[in-house]
């Protein structure tokens, strides 16, 4: 997949209206142009990080269709969204279902969460031919949402390993983690894998064998590996910390903000910075350093500073 000039002049537009890409790079409204500057800074940060780390960040020159399965396509509004689990992706998938459903859905929150994750409900970029993929990468507005990497990691751990209902994760990953990281594990723990400690999870992530065996699960895979920001030029990088503003800005660019707002809800169980700090209390500085190395590109690329609670070696 080729890297394209984001200002490609052959941006086609919907009949009689401007495409989100045109609206982003040549805003007609003042309110949009102020926000556009912020997003330009975020884009530049990604470009600079990719350039500075070109050896590690561009190991693979060409993307394969399999690399594009996280990119959801909205044909009607000419947008592509790369979803990152644990960064409001359920709500964004719901919004994409409203946008692409041609009137089938009107309220994102009426779509059950599990329905938002059914693959056939949304079309992903890997389902197109190579010329169609290149055309969309060049002409559609591409966006993703990111989150402080360790906060996202703790959120994934809490969701997948501390909830009793996630038995498929316990069986698939928990048993493997217990077997590999726990000395004198009981037969029950080896069979169920439902009591993985955060320290064991971290040890599993930094174990070289893990990376050699198979790619990380998408819930703890780096954003860099899920969305390939050094190969694909994202026009907008939304942040979990400014989720509402960034999301509604995208809907404004798409020209749908008069009837569609991003769902807001206060989730009391949300993983916070304080909570993340607590989880890292028992991680040795050696393991913290190794874990930071795994997620380092995400920290740098999306401008997250090294957390103050880390004791890096």
């Amino acid at each position: 997949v080729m890297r394209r000039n984001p200002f490609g002049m052959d941006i086609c537009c919907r009949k009689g209206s401007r495409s989100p890409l045109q609206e982003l790079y040549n805003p007609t409204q003042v309110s949009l142009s102020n926000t556009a500057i912020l997003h330009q800074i975020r884009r530049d940060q990604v470009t600079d990080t990719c350039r500075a780390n070109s050896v590690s960040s561009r190991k693979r020159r060409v993307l394969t269709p399999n690399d594009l399965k996280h990119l959801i396509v909205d044909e009607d509004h000419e947008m592509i969204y790369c979803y990152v689990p644990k960064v409001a992706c359920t709500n964004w998938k719901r919004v994409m279902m409203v946008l692409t459903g041609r009137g089938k859905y009107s309220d994102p929150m009426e779509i059950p969460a599990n329905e938002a994750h059914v693959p056939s409900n949304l079309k992903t970029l890997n389902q197109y031919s190579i010329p169609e993929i290149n055309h969309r990468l060049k002409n559609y507005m591409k966006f993703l949402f990111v989150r402080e990497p360790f906060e996202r990691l703790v959120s994934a751990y809490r969701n997948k390993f501390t909830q009793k209902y996630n038995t498929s994760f316990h069986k698939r990953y928990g048993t493997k983690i217990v077997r590999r990281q726990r000395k004198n594990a009981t037969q029950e723990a080896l069979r169920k894998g439902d009591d993985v400690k955060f320290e064991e999870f971290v040890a599993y992530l930094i174990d070289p064998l893990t990376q050699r065996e198979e790619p990380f699960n998408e819930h703890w895979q780096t954003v860099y590996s899920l969305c390939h920001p050094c190969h694909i030029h994202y026009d907008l990088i939304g942040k979990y910390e400014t989720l509402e503003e960034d999301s509604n800005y995208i809907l404004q660019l798409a020209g749908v903000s008069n009837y569609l707002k991003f769902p807001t809800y206060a989730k009391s169980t949300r993983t916070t910075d304080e909570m993340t700090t607590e989880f890292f209390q028992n991680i040795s500085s050696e393991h913290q350093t190794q874990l930071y190395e795994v997620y380092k590109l995400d920290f740098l690329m999306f401008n997250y500073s090294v957390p103050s609670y880390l004791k890096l070696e």
Side-chain angles (χ1 to χ4, degrees):
V1 175
M2 303 300 297
R3 231 166 135 202
R4 295 294 187 187
N5 171 8
F7 301 91
M9 283 302 105
D10 58 345
I11 294 170
C12 71
C13 22
R14 288 157 297 150
K15 288 169 192 54
S17 69
R18 291 157 57 85
S19 74
L21 208 50
Q22 288 175 313
E23 200 51 71
L24 171 66
Y25 290 111
N26 304 295
T28 47
Q29 300 171 40
V30 178
S31 62
L32 290 179
S33 51
N34 296 339
T35 316
I37 297 163
L38 165 73
H39 286 278
Q40 180 64 57
I41 294 167
R42 290 181 186 173
R43 280 196 298 276
D44 290 346
Q45 177 78 21
V46 171
T47 307
D48 294 346
T49 307
C50 291
R51 204 170 288 139
N53 297 276
S54 60
V55 182
S56 53
S57 67
R58 305 205 61 167
K59 268 190 205 120
R60 282 221 318 273
R61 269 281 180 269
V62 181
L63 296 181
T64 64
N66 193 42
D67 291 317
L68 306 174
K69 55 181 189 287
H70 271 251
L71 280 78
I72 295 171
V73 182
D74 172 2
E75 293 289 352
D76 296 354
H77 304 90
E78 299 182 357
M79 299 197 300
I80 294 175
Y81 159 58
C82 184
Y83 72 90
V84 177
K86 306 314 298 171
V87 193
C89 91
T90 305
N91 276 352
W92 255 110
K93 283 181 175 181
R94 285 169 161 146
V95 168
M96 293 301 274
M97 282 173 72
V98 172
L99 290 172
T100 58
R102 308 208 166 178
K104 196 170 157 191
Y105 313 96
S106 57
D107 177 3
M109 291 319 276
E110 279 176 7
I111 302 170
N114 58 341
E115 205 174 307
H117 296 294
V118 174
S120 58
N121 282 335
L122 291 161
K123 194 161 186 192
T124 48
L125 196 58
N126 58 330
Q127 296 170 293
Y128 293 83
S129 70
I130 302 289
E132 289 173 332
I133 288 171
N134 280 325
H135 170 78
R136 281 157 185 74
L137 284 177
K138 185 178 178 181
N139 296 298
Y140 287 17
M141 184 176 83
K142 299 165 296 298
F143 67 94
L144 78 163
F145 276 78
V146 299
R147 183 178 186 176
E148 202 279 337
F150 285 170
E151 195 181 288
R152 177 176 164 243
L153 191 65
V154 168
S155 175
Y157 166 77
R158 290 178 64 219
N159 179 243
K160 300 304 171 196
F161 295 107
T162 69
Q163 304 290 343
K164 287 295 174 219
Y165 62 81
N166 263 323
T167 48
S168 63
F169 267 81
H170 304 156
K171 280 261 185 293
R172 171 97 172 72
Y173 296 100
T175 53
K176 186 185 288 185
I177 294 171
V178 169
R179 189 173 68 243
R180 210 188 287 168
Q181 306 301 338
R182 190 179 301 176
K183 291 182 175 67
N184 313 321
T186 65
Q187 281 308 308
E188 189 184 17
L190 288 166
R191 194 181 78 252
K192 284 187 168 172
D194 63 352
D195 65 344
V196 171
K197 297 181 181 68
F198 186 64
E199 299 87 285
E200 293 170 330
F201 179 51
V202 169
Y204 162 79
L205 294 175
I206 59 178
D207 182 348
L209 181 63
T210 304
Q211 294 267 24
R212 280 202 301 272
E213 208 171 49
E214 60 180 345
F216 276 1
N217 175 277
E218 60 176 20
H219 291 85
W220 48 85
Q221 179 61 283
T222 59
V223 175
Y224 158 75
S225 301
L226 289 175
C227 296
H228 316 285
C230 290
H231 294 79
I232 293 172
H233 179 284
Y234 285 93
D235 303 290
L236 280 164
I237 294 142
K239 294 204 159 186
Y240 194 71
E241 296 77 15
T242 49
L243 177 63
E244 232 174 294
E245 304 92 290
D246 293 343
S247 298
N248 288 320
Y249 175 56
I250 290 167
L251 297 176
Q252 213 176 333
L253 291 169
V256 298
S257 57
N258 54 343
Y259 66 86
L260 184 57
K261 290 272 176 285
F262 191 77
T264 57
Y265 61 104
K267 236 177 141 186
S268 55
T269 57
R270 193 176 95 75
T271 302
T272 60
D273 186 43
E274 293 75 44
M275 216 181 270
T276 306
T277 307
E278 239 163 84
F279 272 90
F280 273 86
Q281 298 276 289
N282 302 326
I283 307 295
S284 70
S285 59
E286 185 192 355
H287 279 189
Q288 287 187 6
T289 305
Q290 289 172 288
L291 191 68
Y292 179 75
E293 280 305 313
V294 173
Y295 292 93
K296 186 178 177 179
L297 277 177
D298 279 6
F299 274 101
L300 297 174
M301 214 168 259
F302 307 117
N303 207 17
Y304 288 107
S305 49
V306 178
S308 54
Y309 55 78
L310 284 193
K311 309 178 284 286
L312 297 182
E313 292 195 326

